[in-house]
Amino acid sequence: YARRGQPGWAALSLALLAGASAAAQACSWLWLRSDPPALRPALPAALLAALHLLQLGFFYRCLRALKVGWKVCWAKAEDEDEQRHMAFLSHDISMLRLFETFLENTPQLTLLLYIILRTNKAELSQGLGISTAFLCVSWSLLDYHQSLRSFLQDKYELSLGSSIIYFLWNLFLICPRILVVALFALLWPYGVAVHFPLVWLAMFLWVSLQGTDFMESFGPEQLYRAMVAVILYFSWFNVAQGRTLHRSIIYHSFILVDSTLLAFAWFWGRAPSEEHSYLLLLVLCAALPCYLLGLGLRVTYYRWLHPNVQVQQEGGYDEVDAGGGSDSPEFRSFLEPHLVNRRMQWLAQSQFSLSKPARQHFLNGASAV
């Protein structure tokens, strides 16, 4: 972009990359500091801090997980603690990958789509990159959900069919959202600079009102809420315990109205002789049906394909994030009761509703006090 005489796009791309990386590295560092001492890396704190300052914290986590996973795979005798240690590491990696996707890849995907529409030129590599990015965003949500389910004991894993539907309904809901934001930016690029902060602030306040308790202290908790608000700008993300049906309806209704207003603003502001007239057909015949199809697939998933259905057919119970149940879920942890991934426990309790929400405050790596 800079060599082509477009320094603004180059600066924006770098700013998105730097901001997303800094936020993810900050979360990784805060999590390592709050982990149980027995599960912290053997590296000195100064070296860990230097790795995160050099934006290598996530890479170090992946190498550490590979090392532990190698030991688990080749151990002659099953070591329950090593297996749980591997799960502990993989859950955090899944969460960081989700943050990275929505803070870095999704905004850059919107920017790339805007640039293609603005220049009316698309290279093959750009088309492949856009397609791959959309698939990666949906995959990160599926991976996050599967990671949460594996954190719970006595939970049925997602079947192949359930995973495909879960992947597709996220894909069909995210694609139209990114498209209408790019179309709105096509006519009012500075309008997005106003629209995003306003919607982000609304989502941040909504998350704050739900009383999240993910991080260890007030400051880091605000960072977590700010990052979740970015995710909510593009996709649904549950952060509170209890039934989510009403919250989900409110969220999707808000996003549908907001996206419709953005599309109408683009339609109202476009010139009749504009060369992007084909986009009108794309919006009317693809974006809206795609979003409605995504909502339909989500209803289908929770109605017929959710693991809950299999449990009910067998006479058991499996909590779902849109309903209630009678038993509280049990979480996988180490044999020692003081070793538990508090972060994933909080998220799992948010996704899988409890009949009696836990009132105890858990310190990360500590049992209830």
Side-chain angles (χ1 to χ4, degrees):
Y1 295 144
R3 287 200 303 265
R4 294 176 182 176
Q6 298 157 340
W9 293 349
L12 184 56
S13 298
L14 290 176
L16 292 173
L17 177 63
S21 182
Q25 298 295 328
C27 277
S28 176
W29 169 243
L30 291 171
W31 294 353
L32 284 175
R33 291 184 59 187
S34 62
D35 282 344
L39 298 179
R40 294 177 187 174
L43 297 179
L47 181 56
L48 281 176
L51 287 174
H52 284 82
L53 287 175
L54 295 174
Q55 310 302 300
L56 296 175
F58 182 79
F59 180 70
Y60 171 74
R61 282 180 175 273
C62 292
L63 290 180
R64 188 172 172 225
L66 286 174
K67 179 181 177 181
V68 176
W70 181 268
K71 292 173 60 178
V72 171
C73 289
W74 292 99
K76 295 182 179 180
E78 293 187 0
D79 190 336
E80 292 293 332
D81 268 0
E82 287 294 339
Q83 294 180 4
R84 291 180 171 89
H85 190 192
M86 181 61 201
F88 184 97
L89 297 175
S90 64
H91 294 318
D92 283 346
I93 290 175
S94 177
M95 190 66 183
L96 288 172
R97 185 185 299 116
L98 183 70
F99 284 157
E100 181 185 33
T101 298
F102 279 93
L103 270 68
E104 177 184 334
N105 298 345
T106 308
Q108 289 202 17
L109 174 60
T110 307
L111 176 62
L112 179 58
L113 188 58
Y114 159 76
I115 292 174
I116 291 177
L117 295 175
R118 180 69 178 271
T119 60
N120 206 25
K121 296 179 181 179
E123 300 177 359
L124 178 60
S125 59
Q126 290 178 321
L128 293 176
I130 289 178
S131 301
T132 304
F134 275 121
L135 296 177
C136 289
V137 171
S138 299
W139 180 263
S140 68
L141 289 167
L142 175 61
D143 176 71
Y144 163 77
H145 186 72
Q146 289 177 331
S147 178
L148 280 184
R149 294 199 67 85
S150 67
F151 186 69
L152 304 178
Q153 292 183 359
D154 303 324
K155 291 286 181 179
Y156 285 82
E157 299 295 332
L158 293 180
S159 65
L160 178 60
S162 299
S163 299
I164 292 175
I165 296 300
Y166 191 95
F167 175 86
L168 287 178
W169 70 253
N170 280 291
L171 178 65
F172 289 152
L173 291 179
I174 292 173
C175 287
R177 177 63 175 174
I178 293 178
L179 175 61
V180 296
V181 173
L183 286 175
F184 181 74
L186 190 61
L187 294 183
W188 294 285
Y190 295 104
V192 176
V194 177
H195 176 265
F196 175 78
L198 290 178
V199 176
W200 175 87
L201 180 60
M203 295 301 176
F204 179 83
L205 293 176
W206 193 40
V207 173
S208 301
L209 290 175
Q210 295 181 62
T212 61
D213 187 24
F214 182 75
M215 304 291 272
E216 295 298 320
S217 57
F218 178 80
E221 187 67 24
Q222 303 313 303
L223 173 63
Y224 166 72
R225 292 173 179 178
M227 298 171 73
V228 169
V230 176
I231 297 178
L232 288 170
Y233 183 85
F234 295 101
S235 175
W236 163 255
F237 188 81
N238 186 37
V239 295
Q241 298 179 14
R243 294 176 60 89
T244 65
L245 178 61
H246 296 152
R247 292 197 297 268
S248 179
I249 292 175
I250 293 173
Y251 170 80
H252 285 293
S253 299
F254 175 85
I255 292 297
L256 181 59
V257 171
D258 181 69
S259 298
T260 303
L261 291 176
L262 292 179
F264 273 121
W266 167 78
F267 176 75
W268 174 76
R270 60 183 287 271
S273 59
E274 189 180 359
E275 58 183 356
H276 297 99
S277 57
Y278 65 91
L279 291 175
L280 179 61
L281 185 63
L282 178 64
V283 172
L284 295 179
C285 299
L288 180 59
C290 184
Y291 192 87
L292 296 178
L293 177 60
L295 291 178
L297 287 177
R298 182 175 184 183
V299 173
T300 301
Y301 169 81
Y302 283 111
R303 179 65 180 85
W304 290 289
L305 297 176
H306 195 281
N308 172 9
V309 177
Q310 180 182 357
V311 178
Q312 289 180 346
Q313 291 174 350
E314 298 180 2
Y317 296 93
D318 186 49
E319 309 295 341
V320 298
D321 64 348
S326 58
D327 297 325
S328 297
E330 297 180 359
F331 301 94
R332 298 184 187 274
S333 61
F334 292 81
L335 298 180
E336 292 82 358
H338 66 283
L339 298 179
V340 61
N341 190 330
R342 173 194 175 276
R343 296 180 293 275
M344 298 308 293
Q345 177 173 331
W346 167 262
L347 292 172
Q349 288 176 341
S350 301
Q351 291 290 331
F352 305 98
S353 60
L354 302 172
S355 57
K356 295 180 180 180
R359 295 182 178 274
Q360 301 95 329
H361 179 72
F362 289 85
L363 294 176
N364 191 47
S367 56
V369 293

